[in-house]
Amino acid sequence: MNLYLDTEFNGFGGELMSMAVVSADGHEWYETLPLPTDIDPWVATNVVPILDKPPIDRIQFKRSLFVFLARFPDVHVYADWYTDLVHFFDSFAGPSHGTSFHRACIATLLKTVPDLSPDIPHNALSDARALRDWHVGL
């Protein structure tokens, strides 16, 4: 199954704040994490007001992502920015090997993506939907 990924994070290289994964056939997963203590001013203005979901802790976040991914026998994840994939795979990690999860998948970083014009720019769910709609429409 082709899945489309987007994340929002606290400035360049910053802490993950939200993640969305949407499938080509319409299944969606979107969660937010507690906000960092020191938020980048641009992020505070452009991302925080549109997170649109109460945060969950990292353990719930990881479990919820795993349950979502488990519904698909094969996974091919597409992203338009490398940091999205970094945060995606980092979300598999737990405090130990035994509390981490492993999910075989293929990941593709798309090289050239046009301006996608999502309904709500800088909202991970809206951005992931726009990426899917563009890629499926190719």
Side-chain angles (χ1 to χ4, degrees), residues 116-121 126-127 129-130:
L116 299 175
S117 302
D119 292 337
I120 306 169
S126 184
D127 290 349
R129 288 172 178 159

Side-chain angles (χ1 to χ4, degrees), residues 22-43:
V22 299
S23 68
D25 67 355
H27 292 90
E28 297 183 340
W29 179 87
Y30 174 64
E31 293 295 347
T32 64
L33 291 165
L35 295 176
T37 304
D38 185 26
I39 300 175
D40 176 270
W42 187 91
V43 172

